[in-house]
Amino acid sequence: MLDRLAEFFVFGFVPLVVGILAVPELSLAAEKAVRGEVIYRERIALPPSAVLSVQLADVSLADAPARIIGEQKIKPAGQVPISFEIKFDPSTIRPQMTYALRARITVDGRLMFISDVRHQLDPLTDVPQTIMLKMVAPSGEPAASVFDQLWVVDYVDGVGAITGPQVTFKVSEAGKAGGSGPCNSYFATAKVDGQAIAISGIGSTYKACAPDVMAEEKALFDALAKAASYKVDAGKLAIADKDGREILRFSAAS
């Protein structure tokens, strides 16, 4: 009798154990990561208090702040090249949108290096990324940038100063440019790489103005189409053609 009871408990218990082991684990949400390294050209070491911040952002909208998809902060940053890995939910990535990496290094809260050129990428690829940083001015202020500043035209090649209504120019990290001309609103595509700039696909609204105003507008569009390089200094933007001749000057709008 005891032998039969023992046999019952042994063989009755085994399926219970097997059932417990067979329960599947809960699946985790899908996750992707952008990986790469941050470098700079200067041959200097970072202090122990240096902090690196790298962001993956949606920069599609020219008239709205960038939307942060993911970010990694490395503290202490260590020394270049500094590896990074930004994890994000791939379901947040949309076709036809523009994504870019942005990075900066701060020391005791003071900006020391920053990425001053748009680093565009497809977040869903597995290609390692290399972000080149630029050292900021000794005062600790960010390097002057052409992006997302409304510029007022001071000088156009062939015309001189435009004395009519305020003429403006603006370019975004997403590569969209445009503004208000002497007569019409205009739009264009801009490619910025370091200090190089190329403006193409210039179009505008179709309002007709006085002949002299239309001539100024044509001169503005012609100059923009010849843009090859730019320089930002003390709230001023200067654009030169491929021969280095200054063809446009702007002041930052207050």
Side-chain angles (χ1 to χ4, degrees):
M1 182 66 178
L2 292 175
D3 290 341
R4 289 182 178 179
L5 287 174
E7 182 179 348
F8 170 79
F9 283 114
V10 169
F11 286 98
F13 185 69
V14 170
L16 179 60
V17 174
V18 173
I20 291 173
L21 295 178
V23 174
E25 294 182 2
L26 295 175
S27 60
L28 298 176
E31 189 177 72
K32 285 282 290 183
V34 173
R35 299 178 178 85
E37 63 182 18
V38 170
I39 60 175
Y40 51 76
R41 291 190 175 92
E42 289 78 5
R43 296 184 178 181
I44 59 175
L46 292 172
S49 57
V51 178
L52 169 65
S53 173
V54 187
Q55 294 179 335
L56 171 63
D58 180 345
V59 295
S60 305
L61 300 178
D63 56 352
R67 182 170 64 92
I68 306 303
I69 305 298
E71 180 177 16
Q72 183 186 25
K73 287 188 177 182
I74 301 174
K75 181 180 180 180
Q79 303 301 328
V80 293
I82 306 169
S83 298
F84 66 86
E85 180 183 55
I86 302 175
K87 296 180 179 179
F88 64 95
D89 181 354
S91 67
T92 61
I93 304 302
R94 297 286 183 266
Q96 308 305 318
M97 305 302 277
T98 303
Y99 298 92
L101 289 172
R102 308 189 299 190
R104 57 172 53 204
I105 296 175
T106 57
V107 177
D108 298 324
R110 178 179 61 85
L111 186 62
M112 187 174 183
F113 289 92
I114 192 169
S115 53
D116 67 332
V117 176
R118 183 179 58 165
H119 186 104
Q120 188 173 327
L121 80 161
D122 176 359
L124 299 180
T125 66
D126 295 323
V127 178
Q129 305 293 316
T130 299
I131 306 176
M132 176 66 72
L133 301 187
K134 182 177 180 179
M135 195 173 190
V136 303
S139 64
E141 294 299 317
S145 173
V146 69
F147 295 124
D148 299 322
Q149 168 67 55
L150 184 64
W151 300 98
V152 178
V153 178
D154 294 329
Y155 168 83
V156 179
D157 184 46
V159 175
I162 294 179
T163 57
Q166 188 180 72
V167 178
T168 62
F169 172 70
K170 188 174 184 180
V171 58
S172 75
E173 289 187 67
K176 298 177 181 179
S180 298
C183 181
N184 290 279
S185 298
Y186 67 96
F187 51 88
T189 298
K191 182 179 180 182
V192 179
D193 185 5
Q195 299 305 118
I197 184 170
I199 301 171
S200 60
I202 300 173
S204 71
T205 53
Y206 294 98
K207 187 171 69 171
C209 295
D212 58 333
V213 175
M214 298 305 293
E216 289 182 345
E217 189 160 270
K218 183 179 184 303
L220 170 66
F221 294 166
D222 289 345
L224 288 170
K226 296 175 183 176
S229 63
Y230 76 94
K231 180 180 179 181
V232 177
D233 183 37
K236 300 288 185 178
L237 167 63
I239 291 180
D241 63 14
K242 61 182 178 59
D243 298 319
R245 186 172 62 92
E246 190 174 276
I247 55 176
L248 288 163
R249 288 198 300 267
F250 309 81
S251 296
S254 56

